């Protein structure tokens, strides 16, 4: 087994929590006609959203398509603010992220869009330290497509066998393993730390 030199994080539900309780996001979903609590199960799978997440629509085009389809009375900046009102850092994950980045190469691999990435860098500044993150909107695919994992390894300057991928979804963990990466499923910061200690990637406290 090749030693792990690189740790690659998913973002949503791994480094940041995703919620639909934000006031501006809730109003946007209501204007679209979607119950905010169901937005990630319904609207997130709409063709426009998937096209935005895979780079087929840039952010202004995505805004125009959604505005016209749902007859929204939002200017672009107001729409962007509402669209990004879904993130909240998971406590202690920024600390763990920086602790690992002091010992290993650290990467990001996420299904996301340009507007969300800009918000995430402000909300959790440690993410901006990653020189070449890997995103669905630049690769043109979604996890668990093989190209996502292969590109993430290349972006980190590593072989897939040297990488450990951390994601909250079992399907993505399986996809990473099928690609040749090590992978663990995120459930909580405490459980992740224990797993990393067990793998001798961190020392126990």
């Amino acid at each position: 087994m090749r030693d792990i030199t690189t740790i690659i994080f998913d973002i949503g539900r791994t480094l940041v929590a995703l919620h639909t309780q934000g006031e501006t996001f809730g109003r946007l979903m209501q204007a679209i006609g979607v119950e905010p609590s169901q937005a990630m199960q319904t609207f997130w799978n709409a063709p426009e959203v998937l096209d935005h997440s895979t780079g087929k629509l840039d952010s202004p085009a995505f805004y125009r398509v959604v505005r016209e389809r749902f007859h929204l009375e939002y200017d672009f900046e107001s729409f962007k603010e509402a669209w990004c009102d879904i993130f909240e850092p998971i406590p202690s994950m920024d600390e763990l992220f920086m602790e690992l980045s002091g010992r290993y190469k650290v990467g990001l691999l996420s299904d996301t869009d340009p507007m969300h990435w800009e918000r995430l860098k402000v909300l959790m500044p440690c993410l901006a330290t990653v020189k070449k993150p890997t995103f669905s909107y630049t690769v043109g695919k979604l996890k668990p497509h093989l190209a996502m994992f292969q590109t993430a390894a290349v972006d980190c300057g590593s072989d897939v066998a040297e990488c450990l991928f951390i994601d909250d979804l079992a399907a993505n963990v399986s996809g990473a393993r099928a690609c040749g990466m090590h992978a663990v499923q995120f459930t909580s910061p405490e459980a992740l730390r224990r797993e990393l200690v067990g793998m001798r990637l961190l020392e126990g406290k």
Side-chain angles (χ1 to χ4, degrees):
M1 181 182 297
R2 188 175 299 182
D3 289 340
I4 292 171
T5 65
T6 306
I7 299 178
I8 302 173
F9 285 89
D10 172 41
I11 300 179
R13 297 192 180 97
T14 301
L15 294 171
V16 302
L18 303 181
H19 64 87
T20 57
Q21 304 310 308
E23 182 179 354
T24 56
F25 180 79
R27 286 202 300 268
L28 174 62
M29 290 300 104
Q30 288 170 353
I32 287 173
V34 173
E35 177 62 35
S37 64
Q38 298 298 311
M40 293 181 186
Q41 290 75 39
T42 56
F43 188 65
W44 240 244
N45 295 311
E48 303 94 325
V49 177
L50 295 177
D51 284 348
H52 189 211
S53 295
T54 52
K56 297 180 180 69
L57 290 174
D58 64 15
S59 295
F62 171 63
Y63 157 70
R64 290 192 298 271
V65 169
V66 174
R67 183 193 61 189
E68 292 169 9
R69 178 180 173 187
F70 298 101
H71 310 289
L72 300 181
E73 296 182 358
Y74 277 76
D75 61 31
F76 180 64
E77 290 303 317
S78 298
F79 176 84
K80 181 166 66 172
E81 177 61 29
W83 181 245
C84 295
D85 184 28
I86 59 168
F87 301 115
E88 182 177 342
I90 295 175
S92 80
M93 283 306 293
D94 56 345
E95 177 185 343
L96 180 57
F97 183 93
M98 293 308 296
E99 184 179 351
L100 290 166
S101 69
R103 301 183 180 207
Y104 305 95
K105 292 188 283 187
V106 173
L108 296 170
L109 174 57
S110 178
D111 293 339
T112 193
D113 63 58
M115 288 189 285
H116 282 169
W117 173 230
E118 290 303 314
R119 171 62 63 88
L120 287 162
K121 287 189 292 184
V122 173
L123 189 67
M124 202 169 182
C126 65
L127 302 184
T129 64
V130 176
K131 293 181 180 179
K132 197 171 183 183
T134 307
F135 298 133
S136 57
Y137 74 87
T138 57
V139 179
K141 303 292 184 181
L142 298 170
K143 293 177 294 180
H145 195 284
L146 183 66
M148 290 289 281
F149 304 108
Q150 292 172 329
T151 303
V154 170
D155 286 345
C156 290
S158 303
D159 187 87
V160 290
E162 300 173 324
C163 298
L164 171 67
F165 180 56
I166 301 166
D167 193 290
D168 64 297
L169 294 179
N172 294 336
V173 169
S174 296
R177 289 173 177 163
C179 180
M181 287 184 177
H182 307 273
V184 298
Q185 187 171 0
F186 177 84
T187 56
S188 72
E190 297 77 18
L192 176 59
R193 181 175 286 277
R194 287 194 299 271
E195 189 133 20
L196 294 172
V197 170
M199 297 174 73
R200 297 184 179 180
L201 295 173
L202 284 178
E203 296 176 0
K205 290 188 176 181

